[in-house]
Amino acid sequence: MTAERADAPPAAGALPAPALPRPAAAVRPPRGPDRATLPPPRPGRGARRRTVAPLLAADCLATTGTALLVPGTGTAAAAAGAVVLVLLLHARAGLYRPGPAPRVPADLPALLGRSAVCWCAVAAVLAALQPGRALPPAALAGAVAAHTLLVCAGRATVHRARRNAARRGPRATLVVGTDPAARRLAAVLHAHPEYGMRPVGIVTPAPPGGPDVLPPARGGPPRLTSAQDITRAVIRHTVRDAVFTVPPYADPHTSALLRRFIDQGSAIWLAGQAAAREGRTPYAGTDRLGGFACRRLDTSPPRHGGPAKRALDLALAGPALLLAAPLLLGWALALRLADGPGVLVREERTGRGGRPFTLLTLRTLPPHGAATPSGAADDGRAGRLGRLLRRTAPAGLPRLWNVLRGRLSLVGPCPERPATVERHTRDHPEYGTRHRMRPGLTGLAQVHGLGGGAAVEDRARLDNLYIDSWSLWQDIRILLRAAAPRVRRGRG
């Protein structure tokens, strides 16, 4: 398994950094999580789930009412089968994922077609099971018409209630894009509260280094450019929606914003040119948001491992630490006798959500040869035991204790120092999104040969790819690949 080492030798051609005096006390972060560094809450999921229940109830009542009104379909089995079939057909057509301002006339063709399919299927089943009770054509047409009218009436009632509720309490929304499209969309949302979106800021996906907050234009919402101001706005206003007027994968800065909003639980909407699908114009098959085409971006909930990943860590790290305990005690005793006290090196690293933690490693340098701030140490200062530890795995075995405590995982992004994290986050927009998951002893970037000397963009890209596509089997494959013996060129 691999992880960034504090006492790694300097790169070829680089001058060794001067030795610094050993600090008086090791850095020990607080035991509990710092509230200021916690990721934003996820306020939008419960509200979005509640909006589906009234539509489901309206469809069930309309289907049951049709079965009671049309002669020959009033049996309990026919009504239950029709209800199940209608719900499946509507879910398949996306009729339970309404747009920001849904209207029944826009859904009328889809509702009529699925009503016809449903009742034709019910009539076919009744004719096959009970030929004497087969529905005549007039009754079948009446069932389709009655069902369509009832469904439309029920959904119109739900949509009207939803618009009234949206006017009373619109959700805080961030508009992502550049002027003038972002300003115009914010003005449309402000003028039409029935959409249920209240713009509280305009996020400009621009490279870092510019001004954090630019003055608002014409009394509109402020423009936010820094990650700190975006996080502050999300927490302060309980942002539930993010509307992109630019393609969300247009550049690394916009992709980093999209990951941030998905991780904190916001609903993602694409408006204007961003609503275009491949091979189709933006206005084909989309909803309307004022004068802007709009559609919901289907995003899966963030998967950060959860209980399955934690169970894998405990199942492997616990027995491994017990088996390695005699070896660790032997190395610790040898280091103590050879170089004096202080066999463990404690370093501050950045964990999930930006929270610091203490990383444990066996010392490979004499006590007076502490590691430099950059993590590079002169290999010539290492004793015989230290050089042997560098060539073998025992130096990193104490990190299994970090895994058991939950500060570290077996697989994840490489843990970095806070100064390194701050510098890379400032220079590379996608680097900060690596901290959605706990760091690991090894990871997708490490097994692909992208260690500490690789390009930051490549490491951030593979780390985010691993987080976005996480699965338990992927963790097992990475562990097997990291543990497999390697034959390195130029070494015996």
Side-chain angles (χ1 to χ4, degrees):
M1 300 180 185
T2 59
E4 182 189 358
R5 296 192 176 188
D7 49 3
L15 295 177
L20 296 179
R22 188 177 184 182
V27 178
R28 297 180 182 275
R31 294 182 177 272
D34 185 6
R35 296 297 301 178
T37 60
L38 288 176
R42 301 177 181 176
R45 299 187 184 279
R48 291 199 298 273
R49 277 196 290 262
R50 287 194 295 270
T51 59
V52 177
L55 293 178
L56 292 172
D59 291 345
C60 292
L61 291 176
T63 308
T64 305
T66 303
L68 295 176
L69 290 176
V70 178
T73 61
T75 62
V83 168
V84 173
L85 186 56
V86 163
L87 296 182
L88 292 177
L89 290 174
H90 287 186
R92 181 68 177 175
L95 295 175
Y96 296 122
R97 296 192 299 270
R103 302 283 181 176
V104 170
D107 297 335
L108 181 58
L111 294 174
L112 178 60
R114 277 146 188 84
S115 295
V117 171
C118 171
W119 292 106
C120 287
V122 171
V125 172
L126 289 177
L129 297 179
Q130 299 177 356
R133 299 189 60 181
L135 291 178
L140 180 59
V144 173
H147 184 257
T148 303
L149 290 176
L150 291 177
V151 167
C152 290
R155 284 178 165 259
T157 303
V158 172
H159 294 334
R160 186 181 302 109
R162 182 178 180 270
R163 288 193 296 270
N164 293 335
R167 289 190 184 96
R168 292 191 299 269
R171 301 183 302 274
T173 304
L174 291 179
V175 180
V176 181
T178 55
D179 291 338
R183 287 285 172 190
R184 290 174 180 171
L185 179 60
V188 168
L189 295 178
H190 181 75
H192 295 275
E194 67 271 14
Y195 294 149
M197 299 183 187
R198 176 174 55 89
V200 297
I202 294 179
V203 180
T204 303
D212 289 344
V213 180
L214 299 180
R218 301 178 183 177
R223 184 182 291 116
L224 312 176
T225 57
S226 68
Q228 293 80 6
D229 287 319
I230 295 172
T231 302
R232 190 180 303 114
V234 169
I235 297 177
R236 177 183 177 183
H237 300 286
T238 314
V239 173
R240 296 184 178 182
D241 298 84
V243 184
F244 283 72
T245 61
V246 293
Y249 299 103
D251 56 80
H253 306 279
T254 313
S255 300
L257 286 173
L258 178 64
R259 287 193 179 99
R260 179 185 296 272
F261 289 131
I262 292 176
D263 189 66
Q264 66 93 25
S266 297
I268 307 299
W269 303 91
L270 305 181
Q273 294 297 323
R277 304 176 189 266
E278 294 184 0
R280 301 172 62 182
T281 63
Y283 294 92
T286 57
D287 296 317
R288 299 290 186 270
L289 200 62
F292 293 85
C294 180
R295 65 181 176 91
R296 175 91 171 257
L297 181 64
D298 293 330
T299 56
S300 58
R303 299 184 301 171
H304 298 153
K309 185 175 180 63
R310 182 62 179 155
L312 180 65
D313 291 341
L314 295 177
L316 296 182
L321 190 59
L322 289 177
L323 293 176
L327 180 62
L328 284 173
L329 291 177
W331 277 111
L333 180 60
L335 287 173
R336 178 66 174 81
L337 295 177
D339 298 324
V343 298
L344 287 178
V345 176
R346 295 176 173 86
E347 296 177 298
E348 185 181 14
R349 299 298 174 94
T350 301
R352 181 179 178 180
R355 296 187 292 270
F357 71 98
T358 302
L359 186 71
L360 301 178
T361 310
L362 280 179
R363 174 172 52 81
T364 59
L365 291 175
H368 61 276
T372 63
S374 62
D378 189 359
D379 189 63
R381 296 199 305 266
R384 184 178 303 175
L385 287 176
R387 288 193 295 269
L388 183 59
L389 279 174
R390 284 185 172 184
R391 299 189 185 98
T392 56
L397 286 178
R399 299 175 185 179
L400 293 174
W401 177 248
N402 294 119
V403 176
L404 291 180
R405 293 193 62 191
R407 303 292 189 265
L408 203 64
S409 180
L410 293 177
V411 182
C414 182
E416 303 277 4
R417 294 176 179 80
T420 304
V421 170
E422 182 179 358
R423 182 176 69 254
H424 290 337
T425 303
R426 184 173 60 251
D427 298 337
H428 306 282
E430 291 188 310
Y431 187 85
T433 56
R434 299 166 65 251
H435 301 106
R436 295 174 291 161
M437 180 178 283
R438 284 192 299 268
L441 299 181
T442 188
L444 188 63
Q446 291 94 317
V447 299
H448 279 82
L450 300 180
V456 178
E457 297 90 342
D458 295 336
R459 288 192 288 136
R461 174 173 49 83
L462 282 181
D463 287 336
N464 284 310
L465 176 63
Y466 163 74
I467 298 174
D468 294 336
S469 61
W470 178 87
S471 67
L472 193 61
W473 175 238
Q474 183 179 204
D475 274 7
I476 296 175
R477 287 190 290 116
I478 292 175
L479 289 173
L480 292 176
R481 185 170 179 177
R486 300 180 180 180
V487 178
R488 299 183 179 180
R489 295 181 180 179
R491 295 186 181 182

